[in-house]
Amino acid sequence: MTFFVAIFMASLSHADTQLLELDLSLSGWEEQAVKGNTEYELIETDGEQALEALCDKTASSLYQEVDIDINDQPYLAWEWRIKNIYDNHKEKEKTGADYPARVFVVIKTGSFGLTRRVINYVWASHEPVNSQWPHPYYANSAVIASVESGAPENFVDWRRVERDIKQDVKQFFDLDSGRIRAIGLMTDCDNTEVMGSASYRRITLSNK
């Protein structure tokens, strides 16, 4: 998978606060198909833009390239909501490695930045919040971290997630340095062969 593409991003700086907010327009994203194509559409909801994803036995991701030291702007935040969870599948196995919503971060590490690590923050259908496990397909280089789980009380409510990427890189990979080279999102249902839908908005990186 090639992550080195152009990025469209809003940059805001207030005093000592540095904030990067990803542009949600589809022209700012590259798509990586795994099996078929998840449908991604820019919509307006609650008075602001969001990306809506719909999968139908398909799997593809959208991603944008960045180049940020994890020590400079390690705080990743976003809002999301889902329309359904997936029943009767094992999320830690290849046959069930589908998630209604996911936001992922690609980290390049090593002296020459040739080693890649990926953190997948997922809205799990069944695995509890704060659980994590090796990616079923890329166990040596990627981890799945459940940051939401199960059906929400209200499917129309947005849920906000905040993560310290530097802290997560240390916890998951025992690394103290690295550069964030891509941020992406994905709604997939190719293994479970069902339909799923989620929406994403307000994806930001900041220094505090």
Side-chain angles (χ1 to χ4, degrees):
M1 184 184 300
T2 302
F3 288 95
F4 298 91
V5 295
I7 184 172
F8 295 84
M9 178 177 289
S11 178
L12 304 175
S13 179
H14 300 285
D16 58 347
T17 300
Q18 296 178 348
L19 175 70
L20 295 176
E21 182 169 1
L22 270 66
D23 181 4
L24 296 180
S25 60
L26 290 175
S27 62
W29 300 84
E30 288 290 325
E31 183 173 15
Q32 176 68 39
V34 178
K35 182 179 179 181
N37 297 92
T38 297
E39 295 181 15
Y40 294 98
E41 180 182 8
L42 183 65
I43 63 171
E44 185 168 315
T45 179
D46 302 326
E48 61 182 288
Q49 290 185 333
L51 273 175
E52 185 174 70
L54 174 64
C55 67
D56 183 1
K57 304 177 183 178
T58 56
S60 64
S61 65
L62 296 183
Y63 64 91
Q64 293 189 11
E65 181 192 55
V66 297
D67 187 8
I68 299 172
D69 192 299
I70 61 172
N71 293 294
D72 294 337
Q73 289 175 258
Y75 301 110
L76 173 67
W78 69 91
E79 294 183 0
W80 57 4
R81 63 187 182 188
I82 62 171
K83 291 186 178 179
N84 61 296
I85 60 173
Y86 305 152
D87 296 324
N88 303 318
H89 74 294
K90 298 179 179 180
E91 295 171 294
K92 295 182 178 181
E93 299 181 5
K94 290 182 178 181
T95 56
D98 288 339
Y99 311 97
R102 118 175 47 190
V103 170
F104 62 86
V105 181
V106 178
I107 310 293
K108 287 295 183 75
T109 65
S111 301
F112 300 99
L114 299 178
T115 302
R116 188 178 73 183
R117 296 290 182 264
V118 183
I119 303 174
N120 294 269
Y121 300 108
V122 305
W123 190 315
S125 294
H126 309 291
E127 295 296 329
V129 172
N130 295 326
S131 61
Q132 59 271 332
W133 57 95
H135 194 294
Y137 287 93
Y138 308 103
N140 292 328
S141 61
V143 65
I144 307 290
S146 173
V147 295
E148 297 277 6
S149 181
E153 293 184 5
N154 192 331
F155 282 94
V156 301
D157 290 340
W158 290 93
R159 304 289 291 269
R160 179 174 173 81
V161 179
E162 298 177 352
R163 301 295 301 192
D164 183 337
I165 297 175
K166 180 181 178 180
Q167 179 177 302
D168 288 342
V169 167
K170 179 62 176 179
Q171 178 184 347
F172 300 146
F173 304 114
D174 195 26
L175 295 172
D176 297 307
S177 63
R179 301 192 70 83
I180 305 167
R181 298 309 305 266
I183 299 174
L185 53 89
M186 186 177 189
T187 292
D188 62 321
C189 49
D190 58 316
N191 296 303
T192 50
E193 296 188 334
V194 295
M195 294 183 67
S197 183
S199 298
Y200 306 82
R201 72 179 186 183
R202 299 180 182 177
I203 307 171
T204 63
L205 274 172
S206 65
N207 63 333
K208 64 179 184 179

